[in-house]
């Protein structure tokens, strides 16, 4: 499998996990599922980043860094309705940025050959 194909797969997995997290991110929802989703999101973004040339990794790393406090808060399990709303807004912002700048067709020339 080529790096481009792997990148496309990781991007697709990221999108699915990201959407699922937004859907299950509310008080009283399955905490285990929230932890699984946020962990998979970060894992897939890191795998995508690893397939990019160093010059293209920086912006994606910035989005991953924005996810770290969200991941930590979800894993801690101490969130309330206000926190969940804030996290959803942050997740939507991250999703917009990654979709806009890191879709496979946008970074095709930056994928390691």
């Amino acid at each position: 499998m080529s790096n481009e194909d792997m990148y496309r797969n990781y991007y697709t997995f990221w999108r699915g996990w990201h959407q699922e997290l937004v859907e299950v991110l509310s008080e009283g929802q399955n905490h285990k599922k929230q932890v699984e989703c946020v962990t998979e999101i970060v894992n897939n973004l890191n795998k995508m980043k690893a397939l990019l040339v160093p010059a293209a990794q920086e912006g994606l790393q910035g989005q991953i860094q924005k996810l770290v406090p969200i991941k930590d808060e979800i894993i801690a399990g101490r969130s309330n309705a206000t926190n969940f709303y804030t996290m959803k807004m942050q997740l939507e912002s991250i999703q917009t940025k990654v979709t806009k700048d890191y879709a496979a067709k946008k970074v095709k020339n930056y994928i390691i050959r």
Side-chain angles (χ1 to χ4, degrees):
M1 184 180 277
S2 73
N3 282 351
E4 192 174 331
D5 289 338
M6 286 193 307
Y7 185 92
R8 249 189 252 112
N9 285 342
Y10 294 138
Y11 179 83
T12 301
F13 296 147
W14 161 76
R15 253 188 14 217
W17 285 110
H18 199 100
Q19 189 57 44
E20 189 166 351
L21 179 60
V22 170
E23 290 170 8
V24 300
L25 197 59
S26 61
E27 205 165 13
Q29 287 292 325
N30 185 337
H31 179 255
K32 192 173 183 179
K33 183 54 134 182
Q34 293 171 1
V35 171
E36 178 185 25
C37 288
V38 76
T39 301
E40 288 298 325
I41 288 168
V42 173
N43 288 344
N44 282 291
L45 287 175
N46 278 318
K47 289 175 183 176
M48 288 165 52
K49 184 183 82 168
L51 292 171
L52 296 174
V53 296
Q57 291 180 0
E58 191 175 308
L60 193 53
Q61 180 60 36
Q63 298 309 308
I64 294 168
Q65 289 303 105
K66 290 179 184 178
L67 282 165
V68 171
I70 295 171
K71 181 180 178 184
D72 292 345
E73 189 158 335
I74 289 172
I75 290 172
R78 295 186 303 263
S79 297
N80 58 38
T82 304
N83 296 32
F84 284 126
Y85 178 78
T86 302
M87 282 189 261
K88 279 185 180 184
M89 294 297 103
Q90 292 169 332
L91 285 167
E92 287 174 6
S93 172
I94 292 166
Q95 183 176 23
T96 299
K97 182 75 171 159
V98 172
T99 301
K100 179 178 170 260
D101 295 340
Y102 290 94
K105 61 185 171 212
K106 298 266 185 163
V107 296
K108 186 176 187 169
N109 296 329
Y110 299 102
I111 295 174
I112 297 170
R113 302 271 176 237

